[in-house]
Amino acid sequence: MKKTAIILTAILGFSQIAYAADDLQMGVDAFNKKDYAQALKILQPLADAGDAQAQFTLGAMYGQGMGVDRDRAKSLELVTKSADQGNLDGMERLVMAVAFKPGADDAEVDAIFDRALKLYHAESDKGNTKAMAKIAGMYEMVLLPGKSDEESQTEALKWY
């Protein structure tokens, strides 16, 4: 009886993960189709539960006012939560939010670049080509302190 209960619990747990993944895909699909009301309805509970991709997508919606009132503070909060979980897109958006915000100081910008590079390198070490491309992009745009334009372009080519 105990064994059956354990197996049943495991099966139900896995099915909930599958449903969450299906919901996430439906929410992202709604977002891509510009059905923002449906995307919000699906993604908000997932973001509240800590799903990094849902947080990133909602962050984009709030940042651009897509189907919601534009709220840059809420956007930054959601994107930061996403980035904190290792979401590469969330980290990229966080980098851009910090690097290009009016009045950003050099120390804050350098810190976010360093944080992003650490995440991208950790993911590239696992063979994640998306992370490799993000590293290349940072070098290509000469976003890294202490690198000349020529050094940055050479490093970008290496990563691409």
Side-chain angles (χ1 to χ4, degrees), residues 31-138:
F31 172 81
N32 289 333
K33 292 177 186 171
K34 298 182 175 147
D35 184 354
Y36 300 125
Q38 183 66 11
L40 182 64
K41 180 180 173 183
I42 295 169
L43 295 173
Q44 187 65 62
L46 295 171
D48 291 344
D51 184 281
Q53 186 60 44
Q55 290 166 337
F56 169 74
T57 306
L58 282 179
M61 289 174 65
Y62 280 101
Q64 298 299 314
M66 294 183 270
V68 293
D69 289 336
R70 188 174 198 182
D71 184 337
R72 289 185 174 161
K74 186 166 183 77
S75 174
L76 184 59
E77 174 191 336
L78 287 163
V79 168
T80 301
K81 286 179 180 180
S82 176
D84 286 346
Q85 294 183 69
N87 182 289
L88 299 180
D89 295 325
M91 180 54 75
E92 181 178 50
R93 186 159 300 229
L94 183 58
V95 165
M96 295 306 168
V98 171
F100 297 109
K101 94 175 169 188
D105 70 28
D106 289 343
E108 181 182 23
V109 173
D110 289 350
I112 198 67
F113 287 165
D114 184 55
R115 181 175 164 196
L117 272 178
K118 284 179 182 170
L119 172 62
Y120 297 158
H121 278 285
E123 288 300 310
S124 73
D125 289 347
K126 299 175 192 173
N128 186 326
T129 56
K130 186 175 186 176
M132 293 174 195
K134 289 191 183 295
I135 293 169
M138 289 184 77

Side-chain angles (χ1 to χ4, degrees), residues 2 6 18 23-25 43 83 97 117 121 140 142 151 154 157:
K2 237 183 195 182
I6 292 170
D23 287 348
L24 176 62
Q25 189 59 55
L43 295 173
L117 272 178
H121 278 285
E140 183 178 15
V142 195
E151 289 172 318
T154 300
L157 286 172

